[in-house]
Amino acid sequence: MSHLIISGGTRGIGRACVSLFAGKGYKVSSLSRTGTPDNAVEGVLYLQCDVRDPDSVKSAVEKAVGENGPVDVLISNAGIAVSGLAQDFKYQDYRDVMDTNFGGLFNLAGAVIPYMVRQGKGVILATSSMWGQTGASCEALYSASKGAVDSYIKALAKELGPSGIRVNAVSPGAIDTDMMSGYDDEAKKVICDDTPLGKLGSPDEIAEVMFFLQSDKASFITGQIIGANGGYLI
C-alpha cells in the first residue's frame, strides 16, 4: 500500500487530495499547523507541523514514516497569499510568503528525498500557480514564491531522475477555495469571463491531476509544470 505525505491537507486542494488518495487505498499522512481538523478523513494520520520550520518538518516526516512506512509520494501543498501594492508589502510579508510557499517545498523535499533515494523510487509534486508562470498585478510576492517553486521543481527533476524519482508541479488557475474568499462576486465573474471554460476550477479537479501525475500512467513525465487553469493561461 503506497504512502502519501501531503502538507496543507486540511482545506481546499489539500483536503481534496487527502480524500481522493485515502479513498483509493493509500496510507495518507497530512501535515498542517492545526493537526487534526473537524472534517477529518477516516484513516488519515494528521500531524501538526509548521512547514516553515525544518526541524518541525523533519520530526513530522519521521513520525509519518514510523506510522505509515516509506514515503512513495510527497505533495507540497501548503501555501498562503497576500495581495496589495508591491511598495506596501512589509519584510514580514516577504518572509511569511516565501518561507511557506517555497520554504515549505524546500524543507519537505529535503526530508523525504533520502527515503526515496534509498528505495530507488518516488514522486514529488508541488502545488504551484499560474501566477508563478506569468505574474499577477498586486500579487508580486505570491507570484515570485510560485516562480521559485517552478524552478526548484525543474532542477530537482534533473537531479533526482537518475535515482528513479519523478518531480512535477500542478499550476492551478482560479480555484474555488478559501484563497478566493477575498474576491467579491463581481471580481469572480471577471475571472470566469476571462477563462475560456467560463468557470472557477474545483479542488477535486486539481486533486485528480495530482493523482494522475503520481500514477504509473505518468511514468515518463518529470520536470513539468502542468497547467490546470481552464484555459486562462495559454
Side-chain angles (χ1 to χ4, degrees):
M1 188 180 297
S2 297
H3 177 201
L4 163 70
I5 293 180
I6 181 171
S7 64
T10 60
R11 298 186 303 168
I13 292 170
R15 174 61 166 72
C17 288
V18 166
S19 180
L20 176 62
F21 278 77
K24 297 284 189 179
Y26 282 58
K27 296 179 180 178
V28 178
S29 302
S30 171
L31 315 184
S32 67
R33 293 187 198 181
T34 55
T36 304
D38 293 335
N39 61 345
V41 176
E42 186 176 356
V44 172
L45 175 65
Y46 289 94
L47 297 170
Q48 194 165 18
C49 174
D50 184 345
V51 296
R52 301 172 298 178
D53 180 356
D55 291 332
S56 178
V57 169
K58 182 180 178 182
S59 176
V61 168
E62 288 176 350
K63 290 177 183 176
V65 171
E67 183 76 21
N68 285 331
V71 189
D72 299 290
V73 185
L74 167 68
I75 299 179
S76 177
N77 172 72
I80 60 172
V82 294
S83 300
L85 298 177
Q87 68 265 28
D88 292 337
F89 289 134
K90 307 302 183 187
Y91 178 76
Q92 193 57 50
D93 294 324
Y94 163 71
R95 285 265 55 99
D96 289 343
V97 172
M98 292 301 295
D99 289 351
T100 302
N101 296 356
F102 173 66
L105 170 60
F106 174 80
N107 291 329
L108 285 161
V112 306
I113 286 171
Y115 293 103
M116 292 183 174
V117 169
R118 281 197 295 271
Q119 64 197 29
K121 64 176 183 176
V123 176
I124 295 174
L125 301 172
T127 302
S128 186
S129 167
M130 65 180 179
W131 300 137
Q133 296 174 269
T134 190
S137 175
C138 297
E139 297 273 5
L141 275 178
Y142 182 74
S143 299
S145 70
K146 294 301 188 177
V149 166
D150 291 352
S151 293
Y152 197 63
I153 287 295
K154 293 175 184 178
L156 282 183
K158 293 179 179 180
E159 182 175 328
L160 299 176
S163 297
I165 301 167
R166 295 190 297 107
V167 188
N168 293 291
V170 178
S171 183
I175 307 300
D176 193 12
T177 67
D178 291 346
M179 278 194 181
M180 291 296 295
S181 61
Y183 294 83
D184 59 24
D185 290 341
E186 183 178 350
K188 290 180 181 179
K189 183 180 184 303
V190 170
I191 293 172
C192 290
D193 288 344
D194 288 341
T195 301
L197 290 183
K199 68 185 185 74
L200 298 178
S202 73
D204 290 339
E205 288 172 315
I206 304 304
E208 290 287 356
V209 180
M210 292 286 191
F211 191 82
F212 166 74
L213 285 174
Q214 62 81 44
S215 72
D216 290 341
K217 294 179 181 179
S219 59
F220 200 52
I221 300 176
T222 196
Q224 304 304 305
I225 313 301
I226 306 298
N229 55 54
Y232 190 102
L233 179 63
I234 296 176

